[in-house]
Amino acid sequence: MKGARVVDADRKEGKTDSRSRLNFAMRLIVASLFVVPVVAAADPECQSEKIDGVLIEMCLLRGGHFKHDVYLMRSNGIPVFGIADDFVEKVSLIHKLSEGLALEFPFSRGGSDPVEIKGGCAPVTQPFKPGDKLIVEVARVCNFTWGARQVVKNVRFSFD
């Protein structure tokens, strides 16, 4: 404890040792690792359609080389889900509607209870080169229903 008090007293007087500067630098570097991916994910590729006055967007947040992509569905600008590419091929989300007055998404009302969002983004593959045995993913095609409504139909995200 005495050592901690001395360090605190030194900080109050404006004195710092090289170890505390190194600690600060390391914390700054580690913090920046978490900030950069958020900034990179700020510009999703979105395709949208208005259905009965509701704007449905299907978006792709590209993760870059050897990183996971994230698929995002929004309803009137509000995120409904975001799922990493490994798990987006077959999706089933079930919501039990609240009784009484409650805030619900438009397509959750007026149908079955519970309501289900189901579908997925299926990979589209082709040989790397004509006749090649190496198969690569060149796109994903997304289709989702929300209750009885088709809200995303054949939305394609292509990869370079």
Side-chain angles (χ1 to χ4, degrees):
M1 288 302 238
K2 287 183 181 179
R5 288 187 195 133
V6 171
V7 169
D8 288 342
D10 286 346
R11 284 187 187 149
K12 286 179 185 173
E13 294 176 17
K15 299 177 187 175
T16 58
D17 62 5
S18 61
R19 191 168 64 178
S20 66
R21 284 191 299 253
L22 180 61
N23 266 343
F24 175 75
M26 291 302 292
R27 284 183 285 185
L28 187 61
I29 290 168
V30 169
S32 71
L33 294 174
F34 294 102
V35 172
V36 172
V38 171
V39 172
D43 295 323
E45 267 178 60
C46 296
Q47 296 181 43
S48 61
E49 185 173 346
K50 202 159 204 161
I51 304 168
D52 293 339
V54 178
L55 181 66
I56 298 292
E57 296 172 283
M58 191 70 213
C59 303
L60 170 62
L61 300 162
R62 293 189 186 268
H65 294 297
F66 303 108
K67 294 188 180 184
H68 289 282
D69 295 330
V70 174
Y71 292 83
L72 172 70
M73 181 191 286
R74 296 190 287 213
S75 173
N76 288 332
I78 307 294
V80 177
F81 67 76
I83 301 176
D85 53 4
D86 283 357
F87 298 96
V88 77
E89 293 174 21
K90 186 176 182 183
V91 176
S92 175
L93 301 170
I94 298 174
H95 170 58
K96 173 83 172 126
L97 299 175
S98 302
E99 292 183 23
L101 295 176
L103 182 62
E104 299 286 354
F105 284 102
F107 292 122
S108 293
R109 288 183 258 126
S112 63
D113 186 12
V115 65
E116 182 178 19
I117 296 174
K118 63 182 175 180
C121 297
V124 177
T125 59
Q126 69 182 34
F128 184 66
K129 295 178 185 172
D132 201 344
K133 290 185 180 184
L134 177 63
I135 304 296
V136 294
E137 186 175 318
V138 296
R140 291 268 177 149
V141 176
C142 302
N143 288 285
F144 285 94
T145 59
W146 191 330
R149 300 296 310 264
Q150 177 92 40
V151 293
V152 174
K153 186 173 183 178
N154 296 325
V155 171
R156 183 183 179 98
F157 295 104
S158 296
F159 310 122
D160 296 334

